[in-house]
Amino acid sequence: MLCVDAITKQKGRQMTRIPSRTILKLFTDWALSGTAENQCAVPAKDRVDCGYPQVTAEQCNSRGCCFDSSIPGVPWCFKPLEKSECTF
């Protein structure tokens, strides 16, 4: 049994309950993405394209790749670092 209904977040002075379905979706999305956040910390100049024109973040992540559209002129969907390359 998951006890995720008990998790809350503070919003101003009020405590707001986070629905278990939201937490479960976030966890599922993370687990299915197959890449750790630090594996996607690839400098823009070192990105190796992993997508195709107009690829969405969801499509990119489902391929096991990273998506970051914040830097124009470089691949937005790119291969993650190998686990041995990750920095902690």
Side-chain angles (χ1 to χ4, degrees), residues 10-88:
Q10 189 170 357
K11 185 177 182 181
R13 292 184 175 193
Q14 301 173 352
M15 294 298 283
T16 305
R17 175 165 268 170
I18 302 171
S20 60
R21 66 181 172 276
T22 301
I23 294 169
L24 185 57
K25 177 165 180 6
L26 290 170
F27 175 77
T28 303
D29 290 348
W30 170 80
L32 293 176
S33 73
T35 55
E37 184 177 327
N38 60 342
Q39 284 181 269
C40 293
V42 179
K45 65 180 181 56
D46 297 333
R47 291 182 181 181
V48 176
D49 201 349
C50 188
Y52 48 88
Q54 308 302 318
V55 68
T56 66
E58 183 178 273
Q59 293 164 331
C60 180
N61 293 147
S62 71
R63 298 170 69 119
C65 299
C66 303
F67 189 87
D68 175 8
S69 61
S70 67
I71 305 171
V74 298
W76 289 358
C77 181
F78 53 95
K79 292 184 180 182
L81 295 170
E82 296 295 323
K83 290 185 182 196
S84 61
E85 298 177 298
C86 294
T87 56
F88 295 94

